[in-house]
Amino acid sequence: MRIPYTGPLPAPIIVPKNANTPTGAISALTNFLSAPRSPLVPSLPKSHGLTVLLTGAGVSVASGLADYRGTAGTYTLNKSYRPIYYNEFLSNHEARKRYWARSYLGWTNLHKAKPNNAHWAVRDLGKQGYISYVITQNVDSFHPMAHPELPTLELHGYLRSLVCVHCGNHLPRKEFQQSLSALNPAWADFLVKMLEAGALDSEHPDERRKKGLRSNPDGDIDVPGAPYTTFRYPPCPTCLAKPPMLPDGSQSIVQIDVDGAWSQHSTAGVLKPAVVMFGESIAASVKMAAEEAIDSASRILVVGSSLATYSAWRLVKRAKERNMPIGVLNIGGVRGEESFYTAPQADSDGSSGVRCSESADKVLPAVVQNLPYRCAP
């Protein structure tokens, strides 16, 4: 289940000690990725044994997107922020109105954002034979865009499409955005004016706050005082054409108003983003794929994540239990990081474990330059 950790995070533990500068971090990460397989890790098939990458919102900050717990993250600057939870989304029509209105405003900037140097460096590390698999908590689709040939598991889903909670039908977000514009002409005019004024040019919370907006991750734009209750959204077109049977065996009802918006008298046809919302369980197949990726690797490198969600933290815990060397490249503290490293590692060269607090988009490209091509073991 995707549940946010709200406790305080520790100060970063720098490992090895000389990884406290960009140059030192680059050297330590180079040693970490190129080190031979640890004899403490359970034996693996010959085709396996490379590094598995686990990434979080911090890796997309250089693409202009907001994160949760970075130096300018939502939880850092907006202590009262609370994301919508799955049960609330399912049960509350007004909550869905609010969610889709804010998402409607934020989608334009999210849709035009592109992968940054960190994503391209991951691509190159895969090509050079150092990374075998990427598990990402991000829902921006930047990893599969940047390196479609490198296997990527989107642990928390993706925003590029929607899914019906009743029939399972998928719908492209671009098509849904057009429907929202048609159903909400006043909001569409408001969005055009915001874009023309440059109000959405940056997702940096301080810049947005100066313009009277609150910016949150995953394309969420909050306009204080906005009439969210007026916002309308369409039903699942599949359910509208053929209302499905409900779990209790009864026939569902899918109704629309004169303009085609979902009616609160409906009992089906609710679309949600194809992401794992907070409080929602991750599909068993996704959990299994993530665990298999960990078990097939010889080491793990965490990039741009504080591991504040249990679904990500448990994977590093699993790696630790398998005696896998752990690397972390993240600005700021990481949940449970004090348990990842031992005292001798602090004086090593980074091959047995590394922890640095640097920007991935600046450090990873330099690591790529340091590493020669090699064949997978």
Side-chain angles (χ1 to χ4, degrees):
M1 182 175 289
R2 187 182 180 190
I3 300 174
Y5 174 75
T6 57
L9 294 172
I13 300 172
I14 304 303
V15 177
K17 294 178 180 178
N18 62 356
N20 60 346
T21 66
T23 300
I26 292 167
S27 176
L29 286 165
T30 300
N31 293 334
F32 180 81
L33 289 170
S34 59
R37 183 184 308 171
S38 169
L40 299 177
V41 178
S43 60
L44 300 165
K46 187 176 181 181
S47 61
H48 295 170
L50 302 180
T51 297
V52 60
L53 205 66
L54 174 60
T55 70
V59 81
S60 293
V61 169
S63 295
L65 302 187
D67 66 349
Y68 286 95
R69 295 171 182 82
T71 54
T74 294
Y75 285 140
T76 304
L77 300 179
N78 182 6
K79 303 297 185 182
S80 63
Y81 171 70
R82 177 187 175 277
I84 190 170
Y85 275 70
Y86 181 57
N87 286 339
E88 180 184 6
F89 183 91
L90 287 186
S91 63
N92 193 320
H93 179 44
E94 292 299 320
R96 289 196 295 273
K97 288 183 182 181
R98 184 174 64 252
Y99 176 88
W100 285 126
R102 290 163 57 157
S103 178
Y104 173 72
L105 297 177
W107 172 250
T108 300
N109 196 61
L110 181 65
H111 183 56
K112 72 180 181 180
K114 303 296 181 184
N116 62 61
N117 288 339
H119 298 99
W120 302 124
V122 171
R123 174 201 61 186
D124 294 340
L125 289 171
K127 287 182 176 180
Q128 291 177 207
Y130 293 93
I131 294 175
S132 58
Y133 204 96
V134 176
I135 302 171
T136 183
Q137 301 169 72
N138 299 341
V139 296
D140 50 37
S141 299
F142 289 163
H143 278 294
M145 288 170 59
H147 46 78
E149 72 291 338
L150 180 61
T152 299
L153 178 68
E154 294 171 293
L155 188 65
H156 295 153
Y158 40 83
L159 285 170
R160 61 180 178 268
S161 69
L162 293 86
V163 62
C164 177
V165 300
H166 295 99
C167 75
N169 175 55
H170 279 252
L171 185 73
R173 175 57 200 257
K174 184 177 181 180
E175 181 179 328
F176 184 72
Q177 187 78 359
Q178 293 170 347
S179 296
L180 293 179
S181 293
L183 288 172
N184 302 279
W187 283 86
D189 290 342
F190 178 56
L191 176 57
V192 169
K193 292 177 181 177
M194 291 178 72
L195 292 171
E196 291 176 345
L200 302 178
D201 287 349
S202 170
E203 278 208 1
H204 193 286
D206 285 340
E207 293 299 318
R208 289 275 173 90
R209 191 175 293 108
K210 292 176 183 176
K211 298 168 183 175
L213 308 173
R214 291 175 182 167
S215 177
N216 303 308
D218 304 338
D220 174 22
I221 303 298
D222 183 16
V223 182
Y228 293 129
T229 190
T230 66
F231 200 80
R232 298 183 296 171
Y233 56 88
C236 165
T238 302
C239 288
L240 180 62
K242 186 178 180 181
M245 300 300 291
L246 296 174
D248 63 5
S250 63
Q251 179 67 56
S252 68
I253 300 171
V254 181
Q255 297 181 350
I256 55 175
D257 66 15
V258 293
D259 296 317
W262 188 89
S263 168
Q264 61 182 331
H265 300 295
S266 301
T267 58
V270 174
L271 291 163
K272 69 176 285 290
V275 301
V276 179
M277 304 182 82
F278 285 102
E280 183 179 3
S281 295
I282 295 174
S285 59
V286 174
K287 290 174 63 177
M288 184 177 297
E291 292 170 358
E292 289 176 351
I294 299 296
D295 295 349
S296 297
S298 62
R299 54 188 58 223
I300 183 171
L301 176 61
V302 178
V303 180
S305 175
S306 61
L307 301 179
T309 57
Y310 181 75
S311 53
W313 180 82
R314 63 181 287 272
L315 295 177
V316 181
K317 177 177 178 288
R318 187 182 186 91
K320 178 68 174 178
E321 291 169 348
R322 289 177 52 79
N323 296 313
M324 293 167 59
I326 297 173
V328 177
L329 171 60
N330 182 67
I331 295 179
V334 169
R335 179 184 182 182
E337 66 177 279
E338 66 278 359
S339 66
F340 298 163
Y341 306 102
T342 60
Q345 288 174 315
D347 298 317
S348 71
D349 63 356
S351 58
S352 62
V354 61
R355 171 66 172 104
C356 19
S357 185
E358 303 289 342
S359 297
D361 65 300
K362 295 180 173 60
V363 168
L364 286 184
V367 173
V368 170
Q369 294 298 316
N370 278 358
L371 290 169
Y373 276 79
R374 74 176 184 186
C375 295

